[in-house]
Amino acid sequence: MTSRKWVRLFLTTLLLGGGLTLLVSFVVKSESYADVLNPFNFLELIGVILFFAGLGFIFSVISQMGFFAYLTVHQFGMGLFRSLWPGVQVFLIAFALFDLVYFRYRAADEGVSIWPYIWTAVALLAVGIIIAAIKAKETNKKAFIPALFFMVVVTAVEWVPALQADGLDYVWLMIIPLLTCNAYQLLLLHRLTGTPEKSVNEPAEQPPKINKQKKKNRKKNRRK
């Protein structure tokens, strides 16, 4: 990837994270805007907007750091585990989903239902499967498991700071930009680096057939 393409990826992901976090904040942090709108205070409103946009830029940078860390881990895993690497990734996906449910439920207050934690893990898995399926369709069928690993495991690791915060405001404020930025980078990568790879099941191109008449003419020319 050239430096120009990398800068394009960085800036577009940065703007995507900042803009999306700002939009989500209107819903999940509406009380922050209500405080400056009634009574109306222009300077405080600009401050709140800049705060959430800046928070989105931070989420975007976290997403990009996770993406490049994933690329490094993926290369390392293929070199270390070789043919076992897909199975290792599936195990790590299952372990990350289990962590999202079990450890968060244990840290919650007594009497809280486990179902919200289960549905959170299921929703993350569902989004990961959709993005991984698109990635595999546009590149190679072997890309499904690595893409799912990135969308589930890496996103869960990036999401940890919000999961440790009190309340659900920052949980939703962070996960939506993270998932969007991660999916954007994953699906844009093969477009920036070149033509998508062919499917592993796609037959190899056959050499062009040479016309029989041309073969005869060549033989005659050789005899002369």
Side-chain angles (χ1 to χ4, degrees), residues 1 5 32-33 35 46-47 54 62 67 86 100 123 128 188-189 212 221-222:
M1 183 187 293
K5 291 180 179 179
S32 298
Y33 293 96
D35 292 339
I46 296 299
I62 292 173
F67 182 63
L100 278 178
L188 186 65
L189 180 64
K212 292 182 178 180
N221 293 333
R222 289 176 183 174

PDB file of all heavy atoms in Angstrom, residues 1 5 32-33 35 46-47 54 62 67 86 100 123 128 188-189 212 221-222:
ATOM      1  N   MET A   1       0.844  -1.192   0.000  1.00  0.00           N
ATOM      2  CA  MET A   1       0.000   0.000   0.000  1.00  0.00           C
ATOM      3  C   MET A   1       0.883   1.248   0.000  1.00  0.00           C
ATOM      4  O   MET A   1       1.805   1.356   0.795  1.00  0.00           O
ATOM      5  CB  MET A   1      -0.915   0.008   1.232  1.00  0.00           C
ATOM      6  CG  MET A   1      -1.874   1.194   1.243  1.00  0.00           C
ATOM      7  SD  MET A   1      -2.816   1.317   2.786  1.00  0.00           S
ATOM      8  CE  MET A   1      -3.819  -0.146   2.669  1.00  0.00           C
ATOM      9  N   LYS A   5      -2.363   6.085  -0.314  1.00  0.00           N
ATOM     10  CA  LYS A   5      -3.540   5.264  -0.001  1.00  0.00           C
ATOM     11  C   LYS A   5      -3.697   5.114   1.506  1.00  0.00           C
ATOM     12  O   LYS A   5      -4.818   5.085   2.021  1.00  0.00           O
ATOM     13  CB  LYS A   5      -3.405   3.896  -0.666  1.00  0.00           C
ATOM     14  CG  LYS A   5      -3.520   3.939  -2.186  1.00  0.00           C
ATOM     15  CD  LYS A   5      -3.379   2.557  -2.787  1.00  0.00           C
ATOM     16  CE  LYS A   5      -3.527   2.607  -4.297  1.00  0.00           C
ATOM     17  NZ  LYS A   5      -3.371   1.256  -4.908  1.00  0.00           N
ATOM     18  N   SER A  32     -26.978  15.692  27.482  1.00  0.00           N
ATOM     19  CA  SER A  32     -25.868  16.645  27.384  1.00  0.00           C
ATOM     20  C   SER A  32     -26.242  17.829  26.503  1.00  0.00           C
ATOM     21  O   SER A  32     -25.849  18.974  26.768  1.00  0.00           O
ATOM     22  CB  SER A  32     -24.626  15.947  26.818  1.00  0.00           C
ATOM     23  OG  SER A  32     -24.195  14.900  27.676  1.00  0.00           O
ATOM     24  N   TYR A  33     -27.029  17.565  25.457  1.00  0.00           N
ATOM     25  CA  TYR A  33     -27.468  18.639  24.568  1.00  0.00           C
ATOM     26  C   TYR A  33     -28.631  19.417  25.194  1.00  0.00           C
ATOM     27  O   TYR A  33     -28.767  20.619  24.975  1.00  0.00           O
ATOM     28  CB  TYR A  33     -27.887  18.058  23.214  1.00  0.00           C
ATOM     29  CG  TYR A  33     -26.726  17.470  22.445  1.00  0.00           C
ATOM     30  CD1 TYR A  33     -26.444  16.113  22.502  1.00  0.00           C
ATOM     31  CD2 TYR A  33     -25.913  18.284  21.665  1.00  0.00           C
ATOM     32  CE1 TYR A  33     -25.378  15.575  21.796  1.00  0.00           C
ATOM     33  CE2 TYR A  33     -24.850  17.752  20.958  1.00  0.00           C
ATOM     34  CZ  TYR A  33     -24.587  16.402  21.027  1.00  0.00           C
ATOM     35  OH  TYR A  33     -23.526  15.874  20.338  1.00  0.00           O
ATOM     36  N   ASP A  35     -29.018  20.180  28.255  1.00  0.00           N
ATOM     37  CA  ASP A  35     -28.505  21.131  29.248  1.00  0.00           C
ATOM     38  C   ASP A  35     -28.043  22.442  28.624  1.00  0.00           C
ATOM     39  O   ASP A  35     -28.116  23.504  29.269  1.00  0.00           O
ATOM     40  CB  ASP A  35     -27.341  20.495  30.021  1.00  0.00           C
ATOM     41  CG  ASP A  35     -27.803  19.342  30.899  1.00  0.00           C
ATOM     42  OD1 ASP A  35     -29.011  19.295  31.216  1.00  0.00           O
ATOM     43  OD2 ASP A  35     -26.963  18.481  31.248  1.00  0.00           O
ATOM     44  N   ILE A  46     -21.197  24.301  21.156  1.00  0.00           N
ATOM     45  CA  ILE A  46     -20.019  24.012  20.333  1.00  0.00           C
ATOM     46  C   ILE A  46     -19.037  23.123  21.099  1.00  0.00           C
ATOM     47  O   ILE A  46     -18.438  22.195  20.538  1.00  0.00           O
ATOM     48  CB  ILE A  46     -19.325  25.326  19.900  1.00  0.00           C
ATOM     49  CG1 ILE A  46     -20.253  26.156  19.007  1.00  0.00           C
ATOM     50  CG2 ILE A  46     -18.017  25.036  19.181  1.00  0.00           C
ATOM     51  CD1 ILE A  46     -20.648  25.454  17.717  1.00  0.00           C
ATOM     52  N   GLY A  47     -18.898  23.390  22.390  1.00  0.00           N
ATOM     53  CA  GLY A  47     -18.003  22.576  23.212  1.00  0.00           C
ATOM     54  C   GLY A  47     -18.450  21.122  23.290  1.00  0.00           C
ATOM     55  O   GLY A  47     -17.624  20.204  23.197  1.00  0.00           O
ATOM     56  N   GLY A  54     -14.445  14.755  18.967  1.00  0.00           N
ATOM     57  CA  GLY A  54     -13.094  14.357  19.369  1.00  0.00           C
ATOM     58  C   GLY A  54     -13.065  12.957  19.941  1.00  0.00           C
ATOM     59  O   GLY A  54     -12.121  12.188  19.701  1.00  0.00           O
ATOM     60  N   ILE A  62      -8.362   4.136  17.742  1.00  0.00           N
ATOM     61  CA  ILE A  62      -8.331   2.818  18.376  1.00  0.00           C
ATOM     62  C   ILE A  62      -8.655   1.730  17.361  1.00  0.00           C
ATOM     63  O   ILE A  62      -8.011   0.672  17.314  1.00  0.00           O
ATOM     64  CB  ILE A  62      -9.323   2.770  19.558  1.00  0.00           C
ATOM     65  CG1 ILE A  62      -8.853   3.685  20.685  1.00  0.00           C
ATOM     66  CG2 ILE A  62      -9.488   1.339  20.068  1.00  0.00           C
ATOM     67  CD1 ILE A  62      -9.852   3.823  21.817  1.00  0.00           C
ATOM     68  N   PHE A  67      -6.754  -2.557  13.760  1.00  0.00           N
ATOM     69  CA  PHE A  67      -6.721  -3.135  12.413  1.00  0.00           C
ATOM     70  C   PHE A  67      -5.297  -3.503  12.007  1.00  0.00           C
ATOM     71  O   PHE A  67      -5.045  -4.605  11.507  1.00  0.00           O
ATOM     72  CB  PHE A  67      -7.326  -2.146  11.421  1.00  0.00           C
ATOM     73  CG  PHE A  67      -7.376  -2.659  10.010  1.00  0.00           C
ATOM     74  CD1 PHE A  67      -8.143  -3.769   9.696  1.00  0.00           C
ATOM     75  CD2 PHE A  67      -6.670  -2.036   9.004  1.00  0.00           C
ATOM     76  CE1 PHE A  67      -8.200  -4.255   8.391  1.00  0.00           C
ATOM     77  CE2 PHE A  67      -6.722  -2.507   7.704  1.00  0.00           C
ATOM     78  CZ  PHE A  67      -7.486  -3.614   7.399  1.00  0.00           C
ATOM     79  N   PRO A  86      -6.695 -21.339  11.028  1.00  0.00           N
ATOM     80  CA  PRO A  86      -8.150 -21.116  11.001  1.00  0.00           C
ATOM     81  C   PRO A  86      -8.858 -21.696  12.225  1.00  0.00           C
ATOM     82  O   PRO A  86      -9.759 -21.064  12.784  1.00  0.00           O
ATOM     83  CB  PRO A  86      -8.587 -21.820   9.712  1.00  0.00           C
ATOM     84  CG  PRO A  86      -7.382 -21.778   8.838  1.00  0.00           C
ATOM     85  CD  PRO A  86      -6.229 -21.954   9.768  1.00  0.00           C
ATOM     86  N   LEU A 100     -17.536 -12.058  26.715  1.00  0.00           N
ATOM     87  CA  LEU A 100     -18.505 -10.969  26.672  1.00  0.00           C
ATOM     88  C   LEU A 100     -19.741 -11.265  27.509  1.00  0.00           C
ATOM     89  O   LEU A 100     -20.377 -10.349  28.029  1.00  0.00           O
ATOM     90  CB  LEU A 100     -18.921 -10.683  25.224  1.00  0.00           C
ATOM     91  CG  LEU A 100     -18.005  -9.803  24.386  1.00  0.00           C
ATOM     92  CD1 LEU A 100     -18.548  -9.670  22.975  1.00  0.00           C
ATOM     93  CD2 LEU A 100     -17.849  -8.427  25.017  1.00  0.00           C
ATOM     94  N   ALA A 123     -25.454 -10.351  18.797  1.00  0.00           N
ATOM     95  CA  ALA A 123     -25.496  -9.249  17.827  1.00  0.00           C
ATOM     96  C   ALA A 123     -24.116  -8.986  17.238  1.00  0.00           C
ATOM     97  O   ALA A 123     -23.976  -8.766  16.023  1.00  0.00           O
ATOM     98  CB  ALA A 123     -26.027  -7.986  18.506  1.00  0.00           C
ATOM     99  N   GLY A 128     -20.546  -9.573  12.603  1.00  0.00           N
ATOM    100  CA  GLY A 128     -19.284 -10.115  12.112  1.00  0.00           C
ATOM    101  C   GLY A 128     -19.475 -11.086  10.966  1.00  0.00           C
ATOM    102  O   GLY A 128     -18.715 -11.062   9.988  1.00  0.00           O
ATOM    103  N   LEU A 188     -12.393  -2.047   2.647  1.00  0.00           N
ATOM    104  CA  LEU A 188     -11.686  -1.124   1.753  1.00  0.00           C
ATOM    105  C   LEU A 188     -10.272  -1.598   1.444  1.00  0.00           C
ATOM    106  O   LEU A 188      -9.705  -1.219   0.420  1.00  0.00           O
ATOM    107  CB  LEU A 188     -11.636   0.269   2.385  1.00  0.00           C
ATOM    108  CG  LEU A 188     -11.063   1.401   1.519  1.00  0.00           C
ATOM    109  CD1 LEU A 188     -11.953   1.653   0.305  1.00  0.00           C
ATOM    110  CD2 LEU A 188     -10.922   2.685   2.340  1.00  0.00           C
ATOM    111  N   LEU A 189      -9.717  -2.448   2.295  1.00  0.00           N
ATOM    112  CA  LEU A 189      -8.314  -2.832   2.157  1.00  0.00           C
ATOM    113  C   LEU A 189      -8.007  -3.445   0.807  1.00  0.00           C
ATOM    114  O   LEU A 189      -7.045  -3.036   0.133  1.00  0.00           O
ATOM    115  CB  LEU A 189      -7.936  -3.811   3.271  1.00  0.00           C
ATOM    116  CG  LEU A 189      -6.478  -4.290   3.245  1.00  0.00           C
ATOM    117  CD1 LEU A 189      -5.525  -3.124   3.477  1.00  0.00           C
ATOM    118  CD2 LEU A 189      -6.256  -5.385   4.277  1.00  0.00           C
ATOM    119  N   LYS A 212      -5.974 -24.389 -35.945  1.00  0.00           N
ATOM    120  CA  LYS A 212      -5.299 -25.479 -36.651  1.00  0.00           C
ATOM    121  C   LYS A 212      -4.665 -25.008 -37.948  1.00  0.00           C
ATOM    122  O   LYS A 212      -3.580 -25.472 -38.337  1.00  0.00           O
ATOM    123  CB  LYS A 212      -6.300 -26.600 -36.947  1.00  0.00           C
ATOM    124  CG  LYS A 212      -6.790 -27.313 -35.693  1.00  0.00           C
ATOM    125  CD  LYS A 212      -7.732 -28.445 -36.064  1.00  0.00           C
ATOM    126  CE  LYS A 212      -8.191 -29.182 -34.806  1.00  0.00           C
ATOM    127  NZ  LYS A 212      -9.110 -30.297 -35.162  1.00  0.00           N
ATOM    128  N   ASN A 221       6.107 -23.104 -43.253  1.00  0.00           N
ATOM    129  CA  ASN A 221       7.188 -22.115 -43.232  1.00  0.00           C
ATOM    130  C   ASN A 221       8.493 -22.714 -42.728  1.00  0.00           C
ATOM    131  O   ASN A 221       9.566 -22.383 -43.207  1.00  0.00           O
ATOM    132  CB  ASN A 221       6.778 -20.945 -42.352  1.00  0.00           C
ATOM    133  CG  ASN A 221       5.635 -20.149 -42.942  1.00  0.00           C
ATOM    134  OD1 ASN A 221       5.466 -20.129 -44.160  1.00  0.00           O
ATOM    135  ND2 ASN A 221       4.860 -19.494 -42.092  1.00  0.00           N
ATOM    136  N   ARG A 222       8.403 -23.648 -41.765  1.00  0.00           N
ATOM    137  CA  ARG A 222       9.599 -24.289 -41.256  1.00  0.00           C
ATOM    138  C   ARG A 222      10.269 -25.151 -42.317  1.00  0.00           C
ATOM    139  O   ARG A 222      11.483 -25.222 -42.455  1.00  0.00           O
ATOM    140  CB  ARG A 222       9.266 -25.122 -40.034  1.00  0.00           C
ATOM    141  CG  ARG A 222       8.922 -24.307 -38.802  1.00  0.00           C
ATOM    142  CD  ARG A 222       8.499 -25.194 -37.657  1.00  0.00           C
ATOM    143  NE  ARG A 222       8.098 -24.391 -36.502  1.00  0.00           N
ATOM    144  CZ  ARG A 222       7.570 -24.909 -35.409  1.00  0.00           C
ATOM    145  NH1 ARG A 222       7.374 -26.234 -35.321  1.00  0.00           N
ATOM    146  NH2 ARG A 222       7.222 -24.127 -34.399  1.00  0.00           N
TER     147      ARG A 222
END
